[in-house]
Amino acid sequence: MTTTRTFEALVDEGVAVPVEGWDFSWFEGRATEERPSWGYARAMGERLACASAALDIQTGGGEVLASALSLPPLVVATEGWPPNVAKATALLHPRGAVVVASPEDAPLPFADGAFDLVTSRHPVTTHWSEIARVLRPGGTYFSQQVGPASVFELVEYFLGPLSQDVRNGRHPDRARAAAEAAGLDVVDLRAERLRIEFHDIGAVVHFLRKVVWMVPGFTVDRYRTELRALLERIEAKGPFVAHSARFLIEARKPRHP
């Protein structure tokens, strides 16, 4: 009975938390994740301080962009999910940034060569030809992305073993090839795998609600049996351990064709 009450209470907590934006502070004490050694937000801020016109693609709730100490004279952010558009607008407008609602799979609604810096943290997709188009000659694309088989220990717990093609679908080598095919020069490419620990089932529920592409169609009712078994596993063996994959890519548009 104690386990049952604990299960329902933890699940209810994971379901009740809003999923807008990319603020992960709710996980404190419930889940942990190592951070990449390169410090994306700090490095992004350094580049923003030197830019004259910047674009942040798929900005989420605008939290990462807003963390920069200094923004260039022109800053635009795009976001496709309406709740995040509203959150990003409230956060970024006071900083002088314009938020544009733009679907993730649509062409960027900007002129050729409009920006000398384009950034993006954890984009769902990267449209390299569009990035190359809106960059000025000599401009830079700077992005931290999700790498191959990220958190797949958790994903495959729910979905079962996935194919090697799926596991390698976000490989940094593919990003390099796509960037170069779009006419960009890759000047930095680094990858790391980082430890994640889930300490309770509520954290798992909230994570899968927030990062919806991990287990497509996830609901508590659909996976109640698996969630209950996972709670028992955590109680018996300690935190559920997974590993995120991250890579940093910096690509530059040549000054001359």
Side-chain angles (χ1 to χ4, degrees):
M1 290 296 293
T2 300
T3 299
T4 297
R5 286 199 299 272
T6 300
F7 174 78
E8 297 298 342
L10 290 171
V11 165
D12 287 347
E13 289 178 15
V15 168
V17 185
V19 295
E20 294 85 354
W22 291 116
D23 180 2
F24 285 79
S25 60
W26 182 85
F27 288 100
E28 186 173 350
R30 312 186 73 144
T32 60
E33 179 181 0
E34 290 182 298
R35 298 301 181 190
S37 60
W38 49 73
Y40 174 76
R42 173 191 52 77
M44 177 201 68
E46 292 171 352
R47 286 157 178 78
L48 284 166
C50 299
S52 60
L55 168 66
D56 192 49
I57 298 175
Q58 297 177 33
T59 198
E63 297 89 349
V64 179
L65 181 58
S67 72
L69 296 178
S70 177
L71 296 179
L74 174 63
V75 186
V76 182
T78 64
E79 174 55 35
W81 193 39
N84 274 350
V85 172
K87 186 169 185 178
T89 298
L91 187 60
L92 293 173
H93 269 202
R95 296 289 306 277
V98 176
V99 178
V100 176
S102 178
E104 293 167 358
D105 56 352
L108 293 171
F110 309 109
D112 297 358
F115 304 99
D116 56 352
L117 176 66
V118 176
T119 61
S120 189
R121 181 181 179 274
H122 299 179
V124 178
T125 54
T126 304
H127 300 289
W128 289 102
S129 60
E130 281 295 282
I131 290 165
R133 181 183 65 79
V134 301
L135 276 175
R136 296 171 182 169
T140 296
Y141 176 66
F142 186 70
S143 177
Q144 178 177 296
Q145 306 209 359
V146 177
S150 187
V151 203
F152 264 38
E153 297 93 340
L154 185 64
V155 170
E156 292 185 329
Y157 174 82
F158 289 96
L159 300 182
L162 299 174
S163 70
Q164 284 302 310
D165 187 57
V166 172
R167 294 180 66 86
N168 291 322
R170 302 179 67 94
H171 200 283
D173 289 346
R174 295 188 181 184
R176 178 194 292 275
E180 292 175 345
L184 302 176
D185 297 327
V186 177
V187 297
D188 194 6
L189 183 61
R190 288 178 267 171
E192 294 180 359
R193 290 193 71 81
L194 305 150
R195 183 182 177 93
I196 296 177
E197 294 184 355
F198 293 95
H199 294 267
D200 72 55
I201 201 67
V204 172
V205 170
H206 181 49
F207 178 79
L208 294 178
R209 290 179 57 239
K210 194 174 187 73
V211 192
V212 295
W213 52 88
M214 286 291 181
V215 179
F218 172 82
T219 64
V220 170
D221 288 341
R222 183 175 181 179
Y223 289 103
R224 186 172 292 274
T225 299
E226 291 84 355
L227 288 167
R228 189 178 292 277
L230 185 53
L231 169 64
E232 294 171 358
R233 174 175 168 173
I234 291 172
E235 289 180 335
K237 299 181 179 180
F240 182 89
V241 176
H243 295 84
S244 63
R246 300 287 183 264
F247 67 89
L248 182 78
I249 186 165
E250 186 167 16
R252 193 160 294 141
K253 186 171 183 176
R255 291 187 180 278
H256 304 290

